[in-house]
Amino acid sequence: MQSSENPPLEIVMNGLMRRYQERVPDVNIILDAMVDEGIIPDTGNIENDHIAFRTLGVPHLGIASFEKIFLHYGYQKRDYYYFEGKKLDAYWFSPPEPNYPRIFVSELRVNELSQESQSIIRSYTSEVKSDPVDSLDLNNGEAVDAFLHQPLWRTPTLSDYLTLLEESEYAAWVIYNRYYLNHFTISVHNLPEGYNTVAEFNEFLEKHGIKLNNSGGKIKESPDGGLLQSSTVAQMLEADFANGEKHMISGSYVEFAERRVLPEYAELPADQIQRQHRRDGFEAGNADKIFESTYTTQTGK
């Protein structure tokens, strides 16, 4: 049944964030510390800069399928990004209203993997016989929320997961986690002074024992200096594989973004600065390193 109280997009976002918070202990550690230190009055006072999803480039799935959900809710497809080393394509999507987060969706170029990895991936994804989004009622927020948290294929075996992990940590993450929210992002530029830069916020995080991704440095900065990002290292979760096997795998993580005011708005008083006055979009060089928040080079430290 569709709830009449909230629009479908609100229901979907709330469902994504609820499950993500349950599954990523760092989220509540960070939010509680922010309230305790008086940075924010309550956890509802955070601007979510963007959320991110990972997909596989195979028939009936990938960005072409996934984007139908959010395009339906008024999101607009923006810039394309290519990550050669990781064999990924990605797009970002701008929200229908500024109170919603941007969305970043990436897709693995499965055809560029080894035959062994392709065969493993397709042995699972071939269970999807048609685009699953086409049979969803996108006006039913509860149904879409449920879809984003349900398996699209059987639970992988541990040996398949580990084989994929050796060639593509991204592939291994998606074969197990599917559409689980990969991360959400705190907009630090809207926080009070002393916490409103990534550099200052990183200090706050480390003071509270949060481990940061240091691939390419703890702060990732766009060449134009307008977008600075950092992220936690994904926490390891015990995962249940096929045949009752268990193994510790990377879960999701938290990201932090500082979007600086564009040069043409440099003279605007601080209390008049809105989202449209700041650097928008993403930066491939930054994102390339942020992806590694779930990689063993980071989680194994």
Side-chain angles (χ1 to χ4, degrees):
M1 240 174 68
Q2 175 64 44
S3 158
S4 57
E5 291 178 23
N6 287 324
L9 178 55
E10 191 83 19
I11 294 166
V12 171
M13 288 296 181
N14 289 343
L16 284 165
M17 287 304 299
R18 187 181 74 251
R19 288 174 173 86
Y20 166 78
Q21 280 187 250
E22 288 167 0
R23 207 162 167 262
V24 187
D26 273 349
V27 178
N28 289 323
I29 293 170
I30 293 165
L31 297 181
D32 291 346
M34 290 175 76
V35 173
D36 291 346
E37 289 211 12
I39 302 172
I40 50 171
D42 62 68
T43 55
N45 284 71
I46 284 175
E47 182 190 338
N48 183 355
D49 182 271
H50 69 273
I51 57 176
F53 298 90
R54 297 179 175 186
T55 71
L56 298 172
V58 293
H60 313 311
L61 295 170
I63 294 172
S65 163
F66 188 87
E67 69 182 5
K68 292 175 188 174
I69 296 171
F70 291 98
L71 292 174
H72 179 80
Y73 297 141
Y75 272 81
Q76 290 188 304
K77 195 172 191 173
R78 300 296 188 185
D79 307 304
Y80 164 76
Y81 303 93
Y82 172 49
F83 301 91
E84 185 178 7
K86 293 180 173 65
K87 301 181 171 68
L88 304 174
D89 295 314
Y91 286 91
W92 78 277
F93 298 78
S94 58
E97 296 165 38
N99 56 310
Y100 288 112
R102 301 165 186 83
I103 295 178
F104 189 88
V105 188
S106 53
E107 173 184 303
L108 181 65
R109 297 161 76 112
V110 174
N111 290 340
E112 295 181 10
L113 299 180
S114 67
Q115 282 306 126
E116 183 182 25
S117 290
Q118 287 188 50
S119 297
I120 290 172
I121 290 168
R122 293 206 165 88
S123 79
Y124 293 96
T125 60
S126 63
E127 294 175 19
V128 181
K129 303 295 186 193
S130 61
D131 186 332
V133 176
D134 290 345
S135 57
L136 268 181
D137 174 3
L138 296 176
N139 293 315
N140 183 332
E142 285 89 353
V144 175
D145 175 37
F147 167 74
L148 291 172
H149 295 94
Q150 74 190 25
L152 292 166
W153 48 78
R154 69 191 186 280
T155 302
T157 64
L158 180 56
S159 68
D160 282 348
Y161 173 87
L162 293 174
T163 301
L164 288 179
L165 193 72
E166 282 194 22
E167 181 175 359
S168 167
E169 298 211 26
Y170 183 104
W173 196 93
V174 183
I175 211 72
Y176 190 87
N177 292 290
R178 300 173 297 271
Y179 286 148
Y180 254 107
L181 198 57
N182 181 255
H183 65 266
F184 105 112
T185 309
I186 293 174
S187 296
V188 301
H189 49 260
N190 284 338
L191 297 175
E193 277 199 20
Y195 300 95
N196 62 354
T197 67
V198 164
E200 290 169 315
F201 202 74
N202 280 358
E203 280 186 32
F204 160 77
L205 293 166
E206 293 190 313
K207 185 177 80 178
H208 287 279
I210 299 293
K211 192 160 65 166
L212 295 174
N213 168 347
N214 64 2
S215 175
K218 288 177 185 172
I219 298 174
K220 292 72 164 127
E221 184 170 348
S222 61
D224 62 10
L227 176 62
L228 292 86
Q229 292 162 277
S230 69
S231 61
T232 67
V233 171
Q235 283 165 292
M236 301 298 284
L237 306 168
E238 185 176 71
D240 296 311
F241 286 87
N243 310 316
E245 290 191 279
K246 294 180 185 292
H247 190 70
M248 298 298 286
I249 69 166
S250 291
S252 301
Y253 57 95
V254 188
E255 191 186 315
F256 315 96
E258 175 189 347
R259 294 182 182 274
R260 291 183 172 159
V261 176
L262 294 165
E264 58 267 35
Y265 301 116
E267 303 307 312
L268 261 188
D271 61 354
Q272 290 179 29
I273 294 168
Q274 304 292 317
R275 185 182 270 207
Q276 68 268 24
H277 301 131
R278 296 183 181 276
R279 162 68 148 86
D280 206 4
F282 292 85
E283 184 61 47
N286 290 16
D288 186 68
K289 303 302 184 191
I290 296 278
F291 276 122
E292 295 178 21
S293 295
T294 62
Y295 285 26
T296 50
T297 49
Q298 293 295 317
T299 60
K301 287 202 310 259

